[in-house]
Amino acid sequence: MTSYSDKDDDQRIENGLKKKALEEKYGAHFSQHSDLPPEMESDWLKHIELFEQQYAQQKTTTVFDYLEQPSYLQLSELNDAQISEELHRILTLMNEGGISLSALCEVDDKELYRFIIDELFVYEMDDMKIPGMMSCFTYEEFHPNAKWDINQAIDYFFSFTMGKHENIGGDGYDLLYIDSKNFISHKGEAIPEERLIKTINNFLKSFDSFEIIKKEIETLELNEEKTDATAYLDMEYKAIYNSGKEWMDYKGEAIFKLHPGNYGGWEIYAMDFPGLEL
């Protein structure tokens, strides 16, 4: 009679062979040790294999065909109340079919419904169906909201950069939304990337933590082409040091200049606020 430990050992051997086969066939890479129970790891490897098999075929389809061509009504056939009902039905159907759609900003039901039937349904996507896998879309992927992206970049700076979160490499602080390669001073002079990063990191290291009291955007200037923006903030914060026993108060106007990033969203390419000189 085989004990549970023997079954686990047998499954681990099978998992090891499966990993080796996936590495040889698809170039996959796996760690030498796994914390997953053997049976759970086996299920995970099956999903990996199915994904690799479908990915290797490189087939594409439209979202409409992926959902097996669901029936729907044109906007002209619906009144406002019916639009909301039909939108709920379509979103439920999409979710059940492995397609998720969300909106980061407020979008009315009529526009969201129009977007689905006119734009999303004809969008080309990978024709891959893996149990439990969802293909996720946002309305803003197709219709970027500059003001939302700008707020996101500024909020991230205060929450993560001034929150003293480390970067992925662990050799400094998180400057994700800082365009360090194209940064300029408040006088418009280019700041070398190495000097910029060193200056920001030294500023952050000088204090134990920061308490952001106020960071309200009072004016946002966005050019017509939506390629450049300047945000003027009413800012107030405490820079805390000496193990929280002492702090310095800073308040005044903060200026952030931003432009669209190369990989989506907006990035800060200049800033000037009380306490930090760049």
Side-chain angles (χ1 to χ4, degrees):
M1 181 176 181
T2 304
S3 68
Y4 284 108
S5 60
D6 289 338
K7 287 182 178 179
D8 286 349
D9 288 342
D10 290 344
Q11 187 64 68
R12 287 192 180 94
I13 292 172
E14 288 185 20
N15 291 347
L17 294 172
K18 174 65 73 175
K19 288 179 182 179
K20 186 176 181 180
L22 290 171
E23 288 174 348
E24 292 177 351
K25 188 171 183 178
Y26 299 109
H29 296 283
F30 301 96
S31 62
Q32 295 297 317
H33 304 285
S34 173
D35 294 328
L36 291 175
E39 288 190 8
M40 186 179 294
E41 184 180 41
S42 175
D43 290 338
W44 176 68
L45 290 170
K46 289 176 183 176
H47 283 293
I48 294 294
E49 183 176 31
L50 183 57
F51 175 87
E52 293 290 358
Q53 288 173 347
Q54 295 192 22
Y55 184 78
Q57 296 176 3
Q58 293 289 311
K59 290 184 178 179
T60 61
T61 187
T62 63
V63 171
F64 184 64
D65 288 337
Y66 187 91
L67 293 170
E68 299 179 355
Q69 301 185 0
S71 61
Y72 65 89
L73 298 172
Q74 295 294 333
L75 269 175
S76 58
E77 302 177 77
L78 302 166
N79 60 37
D80 289 345
Q82 291 171 327
I83 288 173
S84 296
E85 294 175 1
E86 185 67 3
L87 175 62
H88 177 74
R89 184 186 73 84
I90 291 293
L91 288 173
T92 300
L93 182 151
M94 288 168 55
N95 192 67
E96 292 172 349
I99 300 289
S100 169
L101 173 65
S102 59
L104 303 176
C105 306
E106 185 174 346
V107 180
D108 65 56
D109 288 355
K110 184 175 183 179
E111 167 57 16
L112 198 58
Y113 187 80
R114 181 211 64 77
F115 166 71
I116 292 172
I117 64 174
D118 290 349
E119 297 182 53
L120 188 61
F121 273 178
V122 297
Y123 182 76
E124 290 278 337
M125 62 175 291
D126 292 328
D127 189 10
M128 299 174 60
K129 292 194 175 183
I130 310 294
M133 187 181 84
M134 296 289 290
S135 294
C136 302
F137 299 93
T138 65
Y139 175 85
E140 286 75 14
E141 288 178 63
F142 299 81
H143 299 279
N145 187 310
K147 291 183 178 179
W148 189 92
D149 286 334
I150 290 166
N151 275 283
Q152 178 81 355
I154 294 173
D155 282 343
Y156 192 97
F157 174 80
F158 286 115
S159 298
F160 289 87
T161 304
M162 290 193 70
K164 299 187 66 170
H165 288 239
E166 288 190 346
N167 60 26
I168 294 176
D171 57 356
Y173 296 106
D174 189 344
L175 306 180
L176 181 62
Y177 282 90
I178 302 291
D179 184 0
S180 58
K181 296 183 183 299
N182 300 290
F183 210 88
I184 61 174
S185 70
H186 66 281
K187 296 179 180 179
E189 300 169 345
I191 300 177
E193 182 176 21
E194 185 177 349
R195 192 182 90 195
L196 172 73
I197 293 173
K198 183 178 180 180
T199 301
I200 295 177
N201 281 331
N202 286 342
F203 167 70
L204 296 172
K205 287 177 183 177
S206 299
F207 302 96
D208 298 331
S209 62
F210 299 90
E211 180 186 345
I212 309 300
I213 299 170
K214 185 188 294 185
K215 53 178 180 63
E216 298 176 2
I217 297 179
E218 295 195 318
T219 305
L220 177 60
E221 298 176 353
L222 180 64
N223 69 356
E224 188 175 349
E225 297 80 12
K226 295 183 178 179
T227 57
D228 194 84
T230 302
Y232 299 88
L233 289 75
D234 181 12
M235 181 178 180
E236 182 178 355
Y237 69 96
K238 291 181 182 293
I240 302 167
Y241 61 100
N242 194 16
S243 301
K245 298 175 184 176
E246 299 180 78
W247 61 85
M248 298 178 68
D249 292 309
Y250 292 99
K251 63 187 303 183
E253 183 181 60
I255 302 174
F256 286 76
K257 292 182 177 294
L258 307 93
H259 54 205
N262 293 327
Y263 304 101
W266 283 59
E267 295 179 328
I268 301 164
Y269 71 88
M271 60 183 174
D272 180 31
F273 63 82
L276 177 61
E277 292 185 10
L278 294 172

